[in-house]
Structure formats: structure tokens, C-alpha cells
Amino acid sequence: MKRVVQPELLDSLPPEVPQARGSRRDLQRINWWMGHHGLLARTLRQRLPAQLPGRLLEIGAGDGEFFLRLARQFTPPWSPPRATLLDMQDIVAPSTLAACARLGWQVDTEVADVFAAVPRSEPVAAVFANLFLHHFADAALARLLLKMSQQTDLFIAVEPRRVAQPWICGQLLRLIGCNAVTLHDGVVSVRAGFAGRELSELWPDPAGWHLTERRAGLFSHLFVAQRAP
Ligand SMILES: C[S@@+](CC[C@H](N)C(=O)[O-])C[C@H]1O[C@@H](n2cnc3c(N)ncnc32)[C@H](O)[C@@H]1O
């Protein structure tokens, strides 16, 4: 089945309206059900080279709640751990940043369209994305992956897996009590999700990188690009 990318409601709703707030809360439950914090924590633990300290950059970080839960499970092998949360919406609450600080993390936010964001001058040990890349059609995605490959030696994405019957995901989201925005965006996300080696095929210069791409759990898709030594 072909990848179909359509707009998601959460991207255009004002962040303060109840439907948007509810949908962001749903996202955290979905991340928990899909085991995305643990999957990303394990992948970072396995792949982050201890001898190359640097900032972590999360793109499409939303309200930062995903990062906070990740930070409870993972700390890089250097101190102090630093991270930037980039999203086009300015929605990370001060209390979320304070909770990260209590865990020992120095976290800042960048409000920007990822395509327009200025590359960071300091070393970026890893860039990662959770439920984000599927927002973009292949041509834009290829530009985004090129930009990321120029900033870091390690890129990780956890995305929806494209399955033949996306409406099943809608039924499961309904069962766990998700709101109408999440039900719409969930089905749209699965249709725009990934399968096979679709992200590897869009990665620039595959010969200079180790690329891993696989199914993870029932509905997730993991992509890791690590620069070859
Ligand atoms: C489905 S949410 C995922 C949020 C977070 N990663 C999580 O798992 O909770 C996707 C996020 O991407 C952001 N986004 C969409 N297009 C973007 C762009 N071009 N640049 C930066 N952020 C963008 C949206 O504002 C939204 O917060």
C-alpha cells in the first residue's frame, strides 16, 4: 500500500484549545502503550558513543513530555547532559523544563520550523524524532534527512508503521479513550507511516553510514543512521 501524507489536526489547532491539550495527553498514553520511551532509551544506550560528548536534539518535540519520560530512563555517559527540544509550536511548560532540571538535564527549547532552523554550532551527539517524520512527503523528508546528516553522526527516529488496515489503529485508539483529534490524526499517521527500508532509501550518502530500519512492536517503525567510523 502506498504512503499517503495528509495534514494532521493537531498541527493546526491553537495549542490552548481543550481538543489540542487532550490530544497531546493522548499522545503520551500512546507513546507509553507503544513502548516508545523505552525503545529510544535502549537505542541511545546502545549507540551513543561515550567518547563524543555533545547535546541531544529532539525535532518535533511537542510539549516536551516525551523527552521528560525519556530522560527518566536514559542519561548520556557524560555530564552534564544537555538537550534542545525543537518544535514549531511554543508549548513546553516551565514545569516540564524544571522536571528535566531536577533529573540533572540542562534543557532548552527552540521554536522553529525544522526546515528553517539554523544548524547548531556546537556538537550534536544525536538527533532524534518520535512520531514526527511521517508528517512529511518523501521529497521534503529527503531534504530534512540531508540537513540532519550534516549536523550529527547519530540519527534515530521512532515512527508509525504503515499497516494494511489503518482503521484497526483507530479502533484501538478509541478503546483507550483517545479524543476525536487523536482518532483522526492516528489513522492519518498510520497511512503516512513507514515500512520496509523507505527511510534508508531517502538517507543521503548511505555508503558512509550504517543504516538500521525495522519493525518495532506491533505498530512502530525504528530507523537508525550512524556514521561509519
Ligand atoms: C505528533 S506530534 C509529536 C510530538 C512529540 N514528539 C511526542 O511524541 O509527543 C508532532 C509534532 O511535530 C510538530 N511539527 C510539525 N511540523 C513541524 C515542523 N515543520 N517543524 C517543527 N515542528 C513541527 C508539531 O507541532 C507537533 O508538536
Side-chain angles (χ1 to χ4, degrees):
M1 82 238 84
K2 216 168 145 287
R3 236 191 121 218
V4 180
V5 179
Q6 291 171 312
E8 294 189 26
L9 297 177
L10 188 58
D11 291 343
S12 54
L13 277 176
E16 63 284 357
V17 303
Q19 297 95 317
R21 295 164 91 94
S23 184
R24 291 201 182 272
R25 278 195 301 275
D26 290 344
L27 265 179
Q28 292 324 313
R29 283 189 300 136
I30 293 168
N31 279 322
W32 183 84
W33 278 98
M34 293 170 92
H36 282 190
H37 312 99
L39 176 61
L40 197 50
R42 281 192 301 280
T43 309
L44 281 165
R45 223 172 273 128
Q46 288 161 4
R47 301 297 194 109
L48 209 57
Q51 70 281 12
L52 289 177
R55 178 174 291 275
L56 303 193
L57 170 63
E58 180 179 359
I59 55 174
D63 58 10
E65 287 295 323
F66 178 80
F67 179 82
L68 174 58
R69 285 163 176 75
L70 173 72
R72 290 190 180 124
Q73 298 192 29
F74 170 76
T75 316
W78 56 79
S79 184
R82 286 193 296 271
T84 296
L85 309 183
L86 183 150
D87 198 281
M88 65 180 184
Q89 299 195 33
D90 188 5
I91 47 174
V92 181
S95 55
T96 306
L97 294 177
C100 292
R102 283 195 295 278
L103 294 169
W105 282 82
Q106 293 178 0
V107 176
D108 60 30
T109 59
E110 183 173 349
V111 180
D113 181 330
V114 71
F115 291 94
V118 178
R120 308 195 66 95
S121 51
E122 66 188 308
V124 177
V127 177
F128 65 89
N130 182 66
L131 300 180
F132 179 56
L133 298 187
H134 69 275
H135 283 71
F136 308 108
D138 287 3
L141 207 41
R143 279 190 284 123
L144 177 58
L145 296 181
L146 172 63
K147 187 170 177 175
M148 295 304 129
S149 72
Q150 292 164 343
Q151 276 201 61
T152 188
D153 292 345
L154 178 62
F155 179 85
I156 304 170
V158 181
E159 292 296 320
R161 185 160 188 89
R162 199 163 74 255
V163 294
Q165 286 148 327
W167 58 268
I168 294 180
C169 299
Q171 295 302 320
L172 291 175
L173 295 180
R174 196 184 297 277
L175 271 180
I176 63 168
C178 292
N179 75 12
V181 172
T182 315
L183 295 184
H184 171 273
D185 288 355
V187 174
V188 166
S189 299
V190 173
R191 287 202 192 107
F194 301 98
R197 295 195 46 87
E198 289 170 339
L199 287 167
S200 304
E201 280 159 19
L202 294 172
W203 190 259
D205 177 29
W209 292 73
H210 292 307
L211 303 179
T212 306
E213 185 164 4
R214 64 171 173 85
R215 179 186 189 138
L218 278 182
F219 297 113
S220 308
H221 188 80
L222 174 70
F223 172 68
V224 183
Q226 188 153 32
R227 197 183 298 276

